[in-house]
Amino acid sequence: MTFVVHGLAVSRGVAIGRAVIVSSSRLDVAHYFVPADQCLVEIERLRAARNAVAEEIGRVQQGLHELGSNDAHPELTALLDVHLMLLQDEQLISGVKHWILERHYNAEWALTAQLEIIARQFDEMEDPYLRERKADLEQVVERMLRTMRGVASPVVAPPVKGAGPQALADAVDDIPLVLIAHDLSPADMLQFKQSVFTGFVTDVGGKTSHTAIVARSMDIPAVVGARSASQVIRQDDWVIIDGDAGVVVIDPSPVLLAEYGAKQRQGEVERERLSRLKNTPAVTLDGQKIELLANIEQPEDAVGALKAGAVGVGLFRSEFLFMGRNGKLPDEEEQYQAYRRAAEGMQGLPVTIRTVDVGADKPLDRSTRPADDHLNPSLGLRAIRWSLAEPAMFLVQLRAILRAAAHGSVNLLIPMLAHAGEIRQTLALVDKAREQLDARGMVYGPLRMGAMIEVPAAALTVPLFLRHFDFLSIGTNDLIQYTLAIDRADEAVSHLYDPVHPAVLQLIAGTIAQCQAWDKSVSVCGEMAGDVTMTRLLLGLGLRSFSMHPSQILAVKQQILRCDTSRLQAWAQNVLSADDPAALMTD
Ligand code: PEP
Ligand code: MG
């Protein structure tokens, strides 16, 4: 029976595929397809893991027996019997074989896919004793996964669909898959960046949460904040994700499938049409040149930025190099190489590297989720606050960026500054990093220095920033969050997250105007810059530099080519002074 779940539209387009339900605790498991002739090898790996775990349990039982502890620990003995029984469970074994043989999932993926199915059945059981056996099953599967880790083939990035041997591509071509999860951290999303999934749905998350931002960077349809999606969608259900409307259709009828199939094809035609604008200069009808820059998360994203026609990188979110590493931070050499790759990848075009911005909805690793950490992580030790609290770590990053600046045109961008003292400390540490490199006799390059305006306190004291920095970049995602006191990652208040709230617009307009008066460059690098419904307004407010994910550049360029900024100015001033600016946006 067809039914629909609503969420927030975060990444455009339509995806149609079979659901793969993944719980975040299992995201460390490798997900990749195996060629048909390797399926039996995967089954053999599973069998070996099962035997190893059975032997391990057998040894524990034997130990208990020898110690005469069987009677002393009847519960433990019974538990081990249950684990042994679960290892032989027919539903587990046949299900796992099905995923491997029919779908060509690797062994670990097949095992966790089947675990999700059986775990749900346990959840639905009336008998509390049986319901509790779910935990036993999970333990057994975890043991098998651990055992397989020792003998597994790749455990990191799964092969990209179509990029592997032809046999691999052929094996999966006819089965598009969409990922359904309760929650995905930004680091989890990154792990799936090169994966086989053609769409995403999560139960939680706001429109400008970092999970949504990474989904947009992958340019595949995604819906977040879909509340109960991971509960109501079953493993292998057919699902349509409408990333434009924020709708997820489960078990669609043939009529709906045909309708969305047509919409999908129409989207492809539109993309093809837009791609012709790649080499067209971004100039308005009245001759204003507009700078279109790219937001990237990894050095390798520079390729996509150039392909989309970006004239530089306006925001390299360096924190993605720091996340999901179980607390082991990248050292100076690793960071230097990464920044250098980005600088060289952009072939002489400017690259703006933002210093690490972890905290809030970007935890360093999964074990330090913000909710476990502090009540209000967005207001806590994030971004520059964290860097200044850890000067040794910050100096490592600054030295790495300075060294990379010898290989291209590099700008340094500091997130979330609010206080004069923070500016002073930051600049002093940049000087210190230079001195340290001098002392080591190491080569480094010049840096243009920029500050992000993303806290209302900063937007209200722009001259303070202009006195110390070469350029400013407005981080509207956080500026909106902090101006309106709306957690950007919380879908429960997402209806109040309003980019055109008069207070937000006043802060943006004021920042742009003051930069113009000081003759210093300013860009917007929050999601607003890539939102085509905002292009006219930002141009009207005087913005001439936009930084966004490469996937959004051509659509924004199309808007720019149709605009006359001399006409937009007066209209933008009206919008700015209106009680309800949204009502004027379509004028
Ligand atoms: C912003 O806040 O607008 C921004 C670009 O930074 P981030 O989204 O990484 O917080
Ligand atoms: Mg920000």
Side-chain angles (χ1 to χ4, degrees), residues 208-210 213 295 315 317 319-320 354 357 361-362 382 415 452-454 473-482 488 497 524-528:
T208 58
S209 64
H210 284 92
I213 288 175
N295 291 355
L315 174 66
R317 288 184 163 97
E319 56 274 13
F320 282 87
R354 179 177 69 186
D357 179 6
D361 71 331
K362 285 182 288 194
R382 65 169 287 205
M452 286 192 76
I453 300 295
E454 46 186 356
S473 187
I474 309 176
T476 47
N477 304 336
D478 277 316
L479 188 60
I480 298 166
Q481 151 163 280
Y482 295 126
R488 61 195 265 194
Y497 187 94
V524 167
C525 63
E527 295 304 289
M528 235 171 143

Side-chain angles (χ1 to χ4, degrees), residues 346-566:
M346 287 307 290
Q347 301 172 5
L349 294 172
V351 176
T352 304
I353 303 174
R354 179 177 69 186
T355 58
V356 60
D357 179 6
V358 289
D361 71 331
K362 285 182 288 194
L364 270 180
D365 57 63
R366 205 174 291 129
S367 61
T368 58
R369 286 214 171 254
D372 309 334
D373 209 354
H374 292 99
L375 287 180
N376 259 324
S378 300
L379 303 181
L381 197 64
R382 65 169 287 205
I384 190 62
R385 299 171 181 182
W386 187 60
S387 298
L388 293 178
E390 301 276 347
M393 179 282 304
F394 194 34
L395 281 167
V396 168
Q397 178 167 43
L398 293 174
R399 288 195 301 269
I401 296 174
L402 279 161
R403 288 171 58 196
H407 303 277
S409 164
V410 174
N411 304 325
L412 182 71
L413 183 61
I414 312 293
M416 223 189 150
L417 287 164
H419 302 265
E422 289 171 336
I423 298 176
R424 271 196 304 275
Q425 285 178 65
T426 303
L427 297 179
L429 284 167
V430 175
D431 286 342
K432 185 163 178 184
R434 281 197 193 95
E435 283 162 21
Q436 289 175 337
L437 291 173
D438 285 336
R440 285 202 232 149
M442 296 191 88
V443 177
Y444 59 90
L447 286 178
R448 277 179 80 233
M449 301 276 297
M452 286 192 76
I453 300 295
E454 46 186 356
V455 180
L460 292 168
T461 52
V462 170
L464 166 67
F465 290 81
L466 292 172
R467 277 197 286 280
H468 294 285
F469 291 95
D470 302 314
F471 68 96
L472 300 185
S473 187
I474 309 176
T476 47
N477 304 336
D478 277 316
L479 188 60
I480 298 166
Q481 151 163 280
Y482 295 126
T483 305
L484 301 179
I486 299 297
D487 185 336
R488 61 195 265 194
D490 184 352
E491 71 279 3
V493 286
S494 62
H495 59 293
L496 298 172
Y497 187 94
D498 180 8
V500 293
H501 186 289
V504 173
L505 294 183
Q506 297 284 349
L507 294 177
I508 297 173
T511 304
I512 296 171
Q514 289 176 84
C515 287
Q516 283 172 341
W518 282 63
D519 201 19
K520 293 223 172 170
S521 52
V522 58
S523 69
V524 167
C525 63
E527 295 304 289
M528 235 171 143
D531 179 347
V532 290
T533 64
M534 295 291 156
T535 311
R536 287 188 329 138
L537 181 62
L538 291 172
L539 286 172
L541 294 177
L543 190 75
R544 296 295 178 262
S545 173
F546 296 62
S547 191
M548 67 201 82
H549 278 299
S551 60
Q552 295 151 325
I553 287 181
L554 294 176
V556 170
K557 192 190 277 186
Q558 178 173 256
Q559 286 293 317
I560 288 169
L561 297 175
R562 295 172 181 162
C563 284
D564 181 338
T565 59
S566 59

Side-chain angles (χ1 to χ4, degrees), residues 190 193 217 295-306 346 550:
L190 217 57
K193 205 161 177 171
S217 80
N295 291 355
I296 65 171
E297 275 91 36
Q298 291 172 309
E300 293 66 36
D301 296 341
V303 178
L306 284 180
M346 287 307 290

